[in-house]
Amino acid sequence: MADIHKLAQMFKELDDQLVGCMRCGMCQAVCPIFKLSGKETDVTRGKLALLDGLASEMLKDPAGVNEQLNRCLLCGTCQANCPSGVSVMDIFLKARAIMTGYFGLSPAKKAIFRGLLKNPKLFNALTEMGAKFQGIFTKKVDDMLGSSCARFNAPIIADRHFNTLASKPFHKIVPEMDTPAGKSGLRVAFYVGCVIDKIYPQVGEAILKVLKHHGVGVYLPSGQACCGIPVLSSGDTATFDTLVGMNVDRLKDGEFDYLVTGCASCTSTIKELWPHMYKGDSSRTYDIGVLARKTMDISQFLVDVLKVEPKELAGGKSVTYHDPCHLKNSLGITAQPRTLIKAAGCDFKEMTDAGTCCGCGGSFNIAHYELSREIGSRKADNIMASKAKVAATSCPACMIQITDMLSQKGADMSVKHVIELYADSL
């Protein structure tokens, strides 16, 4: 259990933020989980009511409180649509930290978060070993989607169709980089992120190709760690502080105009959560603020800074686009990825409900796969109804979820990151 004085302070911070909720119920109309269950405890208003008496509720039924708090995708749709401007994500993350302080981390999470994520070299070594032997335990399902499934009954994998680990991770392809500004006169730092590094290295390569094409110098330091969103979502604030500190120490000494990422979750975490949730060494606070202000999604950088424009004549492959929650809801970025798709000469087809959650939610997909799959199945139906040949998005985690859903439905299409489409057109 966490220090009682620390828990008391966290309770106070939570109480101060809860007063903003007017219990209007607007969140009911947009919550993807409530849409399926119809339970008040699954919607933000119900969870905030629960948190309003969290201390007493924890004494009555701590396990029940923890379960309800974790039945949430942290998609931010409720916050983006809240007329009172309640900082829902901040409240939920603090509440999860309180619960983790009370219960402690599970042995599995402790091993993953503190054993692996805090040790990038060990994490890299184990995933590289896993990539070599994964063929023993997995088999291909769909070559177009690149999906596989388990050869044997594995409860944690269930019926998932998933992308396997890359045979060669991005950090082995490009260990580090430090190139000067070219014709653009700009230099960027490139934060890779775990999923691009270990599953989709081609996305990282596409980003570097595009930056080189536009004459943008790149600062890519080695030894980058996880951005921290998985551990923070599980309430492990201590490991979050460690990971942020590790990344800041890698990035702070580089000279660059912007920090770009190809992962919506990483972008949102660095820009929104690093400054507000970091409670570690105060000497890093200034650097965290500077990095946060410089951080941009790659499509935002290309469109808003480099002024990439759509082609007047498209006629290329037909593409639809899924808005990742962390871009649309947290950062308000929706137009730039679509502009980039059109700049690639693709025939863009808007799907129905492009901005609704795909159902991934990180660890939510593991803990509540049936709910995740039901939400994702609706997304897949909308993608297929668009009649596009490519489903594009800006988040590698969404790529994993969408690939799973489309593969299970036998869809005749591929899943791509928007930057891949643009890079292929150059």
Side-chain angles (χ1 to χ4, degrees):
M1 182 181 291
D3 177 82
I4 191 66
H5 299 293
K6 185 176 181 180
L7 278 176
Q9 178 60 33
M10 294 168 76
F11 273 121
K12 183 180 184 306
E13 291 175 1
L14 203 60
D15 287 341
D16 291 343
Q17 289 181 288
L18 286 170
V19 294
C21 178
M22 304 303 292
R23 307 292 194 268
C24 68
M26 183 67 73
C27 47
Q28 283 188 343
V30 296
C31 176
I33 297 178
F34 180 79
K35 189 176 292 185
L36 294 179
S37 72
K39 296 179 180 178
E40 179 70 11
T41 51
D42 280 338
V43 79
T44 303
R45 181 176 65 178
K47 286 182 170 61
L48 293 183
L50 176 71
L51 295 178
D52 203 16
L54 181 58
S56 59
E57 289 293 336
M58 280 175 64
L59 293 174
K60 295 176 187 175
D61 182 18
V65 172
N66 201 39
E67 167 65 16
Q68 288 306 318
L69 281 178
N70 283 288
R71 277 176 64 93
C72 175
L73 288 153
L74 295 179
C75 65
T77 309
C78 53
Q79 179 170 310
N81 290 276
C82 178
S84 302
V86 177
S87 298
V88 179
M89 293 301 98
D90 194 31
I91 291 172
F92 283 176
L93 289 171
K94 286 179 179 175
R96 289 188 179 189
I98 289 173
M99 298 309 298
T100 298
Y102 180 84
F103 281 106
L105 283 173
S106 68
K109 287 186 176 181
K110 191 176 293 184
I112 294 169
F113 295 166
R114 298 176 181 177
L116 290 182
L117 294 188
K118 283 176 67 173
N119 297 281
K121 288 184 178 179
L122 177 60
F123 187 27
N124 290 341
L126 289 178
T127 52
E128 287 165 30
M129 185 182 298
K132 292 179 180 178
F133 295 102
Q134 62 189 341
I136 299 173
F137 307 100
T138 65
K139 60 183 179 181
K140 283 287 185 183
V141 176
D142 189 310
D143 289 333
M144 180 172 285
L145 285 163
S147 57
S148 298
C149 68
R151 286 187 185 274
F152 315 106
N153 183 29
I156 195 168
I157 297 177
D159 298 323
R160 289 174 173 83
H161 290 192
F162 50 88
N163 302 93
T164 55
L165 294 165
S167 58
K168 192 172 185 179
F170 183 78
H171 70 266
K172 286 292 187 180
I173 300 170
V174 186
E176 58 186 351
M177 182 177 285
D178 194 352
T179 59
K183 61 184 178 182
S184 71
L186 296 173
R187 260 172 58 92
V188 301
F190 177 27
Y191 179 79
V192 181
C194 301
V195 183
I196 289 178
D197 180 47
K198 293 166 175 57
I199 298 179
Y200 298 115
Q202 71 273 18
V203 174
E205 292 180 277
I207 289 174
L208 292 183
K209 177 183 177 180
V210 169
L211 292 174
K212 182 178 180 180
H213 173 80
H214 286 284
V216 179
V218 176
Y219 174 63
L220 173 61
S222 62
Q224 295 181 24
C226 171
C227 71
I229 187 60
V231 300
L232 188 61
S233 298
S234 293
D236 187 0
T237 54
T239 302
F240 173 76
D241 288 343
T242 299
L243 294 173
V244 173
M246 292 168 66
N247 283 313
V248 170
D249 291 344
R250 292 287 180 182
L251 293 163
K252 67 179 183 180
D253 294 328
E255 294 183 6
F256 49 88
D257 304 288
Y258 300 93
L259 190 159
V260 300
T261 88
C263 174
S265 297
C266 293
T267 307
S268 175
T269 300
I270 296 170
K271 197 165 187 67
E272 300 287 310
L273 300 180
W274 281 16
H276 299 304
M277 301 299 292
Y278 179 76
K279 304 298 181 186
D281 187 346
S282 59
S283 66
R284 293 193 181 100
T285 303
Y286 173 79
D287 292 316
I288 288 172
V290 171
L291 290 172
R293 289 190 292 273
K294 289 183 176 183
T295 298
M296 300 183 85
D297 170 71
I298 184 63
S299 64
Q300 182 187 19
F301 173 72
L302 292 170
V303 174
D304 293 355
V305 178
L306 296 185
K307 306 302 180 185
V308 170
E309 296 181 347
K311 291 181 179 178
E312 292 185 12
L313 297 175
K317 64 184 72 175
S318 58
V319 177
T320 193
Y321 179 74
H322 160 68
D323 288 287
C325 296
H326 284 131
L327 276 193
K328 179 180 181 289
N329 296 329
S330 299
L331 303 176
I333 297 170
T334 58
Q336 297 91 330
R338 289 168 170 79
T339 297
L340 207 59
I341 291 170
K342 295 171 185 175
C346 298
D347 179 16
F348 179 66
K349 296 180 179 293
E350 188 74 54
M351 77 171 84
T352 301
D353 293 334
T356 59
C357 183
C358 69
C360 181
S363 59
F364 180 89
N365 177 274
I366 298 172
H368 304 283
Y369 182 60
E370 290 308 314
L371 266 177
S372 175
R373 180 160 63 177
E374 193 167 351
I375 296 168
S377 180
R378 295 184 179 189
K379 174 62 67 173
D381 288 340
N382 290 335
I383 290 172
M384 294 167 67
S386 74
K387 304 299 183 183
K389 286 298 183 183
V390 179
T393 188
S394 302
C395 182
C398 294
M399 290 172 68
I400 293 174
Q401 172 78 343
I402 292 169
T403 295
D404 181 11
M405 299 298 104
L406 291 176
S407 181
Q408 291 193 39
K409 290 177 179 288
D412 181 24
M413 62 194 312
S414 59
V415 177
K416 297 284 186 180
H417 194 290
V418 291
I419 198 66
E420 292 182 88
L421 299 174
Y422 182 63
D424 286 346
S425 73
L426 300 178

